[in-house]
Amino acid sequence: MSRYPEKLSRIEITTTMGCRLNCRFCPQKKLLNEYKKTENPDKTSMTLEDFKGILSQIYEKGTITFSGMSETFQNNEASFMMREAYKQGFKLQLFTTLQGMQDEDFENIKDINFQMVVLHIPDEEGNSKFVIDEKYLEHLQRFVSEHDILYYSCHGKVHPMVKNIINPEIPITSEMKNRAGNLTEEKLEEYHWENGRIVCTGAIFNTNGTASGWTPLLLPNGTLLACCNDYGLELILGNLYTESWEKILDSKKFAWFERSFDDDSVHSLCRKCDRANCRSEAVKRNSNILWNNAIKVGRLLQGIELKQGGYFPTILDDEKADKINDLLFSKKICIFGLGKLFFDTYNTIPWKNVLLSDKPGICSDNNKKWKKGDSLFGLQFVEPEELKTYDDLVVVTYVTNDFEIRAQLHNMGIHKIINIYEIFNIFD
């Protein structure tokens, strides 16, 4: 109990069951079959009153993510839920396809400053079953003009009908995962963590040990899942409509879930997930690969061949070369994230010299324990809001999951952002 907050600090919402898009890379059939076995399976849509009822179980200023296992706007009360939560001071994230969105929804969310927006767009191959009509294109045009988008998600090549509408400067991701083993029909990379203790890299642990970044998922009938990958409903923790979060934490189901991370004889969904990592494997990587890659990156930064007016190492693809170029040519580098990962690796392997070379370095973090003027390994601490005053700055996010930090930096007009793992694994 002491490891977890008394209330939820984050939650993901599935507003309705049965997604019309029926994406190739989303195991909807499995989800719907398992949903029939839950309490009150006929309740397939969350109401505004349902939603209001669970807000008291979330910390004030906690994060609510509208995404889940179906398109949010299929529920005609979804935008009212967002408006209500934002009015009460919660932070909101939105993952959407815009399918089912109405003009009224635009009005309801027009004043919401979303912490993060990810927009799923149509693909040329038809892997996602979008209805691309005049109304959708009108809504897409309006949405991209009214909201800051962190990145686009596309399950293939971008559909030609939307190419000229989306912002070409915003990144597009098309990487597909097997949903922790739930997407068995597709030939996607599998993950198996059979032995030893595992950790969830999708969770962000506070300095006091509480898992505040872990995000359970709520289904329309109140069923609370441990994770958004649980399309087979293996990890049902309880029902948030009928049970308190405190009661769920004290339940046998939650004790089993927690034990599955430490005890490899307890085989849970998490041991087939791409977000899992094994402690022993992590130690091995730190002692071998990270050191070697640091040396290689350092060599690249010191002397790589010149092509087409810029530095493009022939051993790297263009995307990775661009990251090297950002480190090479930016006027200043900021290390953002001063947690355990930073203290474990920054000064103990050659990353300090690799990242900064001869550039002046600064550091930043949202944790209020750091103050302006503090110095860590020669880096001067700067408050996050001050970063927008620096010209030609590249930020290296020194955390495992940097979605929120990226959104924060994008909102400040900072777009040169590299996650430390992209550098750690640049030669993988």
Side-chain angles (χ1 to χ4, degrees):
M1 288 285 291
S2 60
R3 278 177 51 78
Y4 299 92
E6 294 175 357
K7 291 187 176 184
L8 286 156
S9 58
R10 306 168 64 88
I11 193 168
E12 185 169 343
I13 303 293
T14 297
T15 63
T16 185
M17 294 300 295
C19 188
R20 298 173 198 162
L21 280 92
N22 196 25
C23 297
R24 174 182 172 187
F25 299 102
C26 183
Q28 283 291 307
K29 184 177 180 180
K30 183 173 188 177
L31 171 64
L32 294 176
N33 285 338
E34 294 302 320
Y35 191 75
K36 293 174 184 176
K37 304 173 187 177
T38 63
E39 298 177 27
N40 196 12
D42 292 333
K43 184 174 176 55
T44 57
S45 288
M46 185 179 296
T47 67
L48 178 59
E49 292 307 310
D50 292 332
F51 179 74
K52 288 179 179 179
I54 60 102
L55 293 180
S56 62
Q57 305 228 46
I58 308 168
Y59 270 123
E60 185 181 354
K61 297 184 180 179
T63 301
I64 301 174
T65 301
F66 286 89
S67 175
M69 297 170 166
S70 68
E71 167 52 49
T72 291
F73 289 110
Q74 285 183 181
N75 187 317
N76 58 18
E77 291 190 293
S79 64
F80 293 90
M81 298 178 199
M82 296 175 201
R83 189 173 67 178
E84 177 65 26
Y86 191 69
K87 184 175 69 175
Q88 292 194 30
F90 292 99
K91 298 173 185 175
L92 302 187
Q93 298 180 348
L94 175 61
F95 292 67
T96 181
T97 65
L98 306 184
Q99 296 285 285
M101 194 172 185
Q102 304 298 320
D103 292 338
E104 183 181 30
D105 296 322
F106 279 95
E107 292 303 309
N108 282 338
I109 69 172
K110 67 179 181 180
D111 296 322
I112 295 178
N113 181 19
F114 287 99
Q115 190 181 45
M116 178 170 70
V117 176
V118 175
L119 184 59
H120 182 176
I121 55 177
D123 60 276
E124 189 174 334
E125 296 86 345
N127 290 322
S128 300
K129 310 302 187 293
F130 278 80
V131 176
I132 309 176
D133 54 16
E134 186 177 341
K135 195 65 175 178
Y136 166 74
L137 295 174
E138 177 188 320
H139 282 171
L140 178 62
Q141 181 76 59
R142 181 175 177 181
F143 191 88
V144 298
S145 67
E146 293 182 357
H147 296 279
D148 292 327
I149 297 164
L150 181 62
Y151 66 88
Y152 298 109
S153 172
C154 186
H155 293 184
K157 294 180 181 179
V158 177
H159 197 286
M161 292 186 71
V162 303
K163 272 185 179 179
N164 294 329
I165 298 177
I166 63 174
N167 185 341
E169 296 182 1
I170 295 176
I172 301 172
T173 177
S174 58
E175 185 180 16
M176 296 295 108
K177 302 293 185 181
N178 74 350
R179 313 278 188 177
N182 279 307
L183 197 61
T184 55
E185 296 85 0
E186 302 297 332
K187 293 181 179 180
L188 299 170
E189 184 176 359
E190 295 182 359
Y191 302 86
H192 299 281
W193 302 99
E194 300 293 344
N195 301 312
R197 181 174 185 262
I198 60 171
V199 293
C200 177
T201 60
I204 305 165
F205 286 84
N206 286 339
T207 53
N208 64 1
T210 58
S212 65
W214 167 53
T215 310
L217 182 142
L218 184 67
L219 297 179
N221 64 358
T223 298
L224 188 69
L225 302 179
C227 174
C228 62
N229 273 331
D230 190 11
Y231 282 78
L233 307 195
E234 295 178 31
L235 301 177
I236 295 177
L237 301 179
N239 191 297
L240 207 58
Y241 291 172
T242 58
E243 300 172 279
S244 68
W245 172 237
E246 187 175 8
K247 182 179 179 182
I248 290 172
L249 285 178
D250 203 29
S251 67
K252 290 182 180 180
K253 290 179 181 178
F254 192 86
W256 179 90
F257 168 63
E258 190 172 32
R259 186 160 61 89
S260 70
F261 286 89
D262 295 322
D263 185 349
D264 55 21
S265 69
V266 181
H267 289 279
S268 76
L269 177 80
C270 303
R271 291 187 176 269
K272 296 180 285 185
C273 182
D274 65 288
R275 292 186 178 184
N277 204 342
C278 182
R279 275 293 170 85
S280 60
E281 288 295 321
V283 170
K284 185 178 179 180
R285 282 186 67 83
N286 281 344
S287 60
N288 296 317
I289 297 174
L290 300 189
W291 183 279
N292 292 333
N293 280 3
I295 294 171
K296 290 179 183 178
V297 172
R299 288 174 179 167
L300 282 176
L301 293 176
Q302 291 168 14
I304 52 182
E305 64 184 281
L306 187 67
K307 285 189 178 183
Q308 299 176 354
Y311 288 92
F312 291 93
T314 55
I315 59 172
L316 297 179
D317 60 37
D318 288 348
E319 183 179 353
K320 291 181 177 179
D322 286 342
K323 298 183 190 308
I324 293 292
N325 285 342
D326 284 341
L327 293 172
L328 270 170
F329 296 115
S330 60
K331 292 181 181 178
K332 192 177 286 286
I333 293 176
C334 172
I335 307 298
F336 198 114
L338 307 176
K340 187 176 186 301
L341 178 64
F342 173 81
F343 285 98
D344 281 354
T345 64
Y346 183 73
N347 209 41
T348 56
I349 56 177
W351 291 109
K352 176 179 178 180
N353 295 332
V354 167
L355 291 174
L356 296 181
S357 185
D358 58 348
K359 293 183 177 64
I362 56 176
C363 61
S364 191
D365 195 286
N366 288 320
N367 194 319
K368 297 301 181 184
K369 76 175 182 178
W370 305 112
K371 305 295 180 186
K372 185 175 181 178
D374 288 346
S375 180
L376 293 88
F377 305 127
L379 300 171
Q380 293 299 310
F381 182 81
V382 173
E383 295 289 347
E385 277 300 311
E386 289 185 38
L387 295 179
K388 60 187 177 185
T389 65
Y390 286 87
D391 182 40
D392 196 17
L393 174 73
V394 60
V395 176
V396 177
T397 56
Y398 228 102
V399 296
T400 302
N401 189 335
D402 66 358
F403 277 147
E404 292 186 17
I405 293 174
R406 282 180 182 266
Q408 177 184 356
L409 294 170
H410 277 300
N411 288 337
M412 292 193 290
I414 299 170
H415 301 290
K416 287 185 179 180
I417 306 167
I418 306 172
N419 184 261
I420 189 61
Y421 280 97
E422 293 178 292
I423 304 172
F424 281 177
N425 304 323
I426 201 162
F427 295 99
D428 288 1

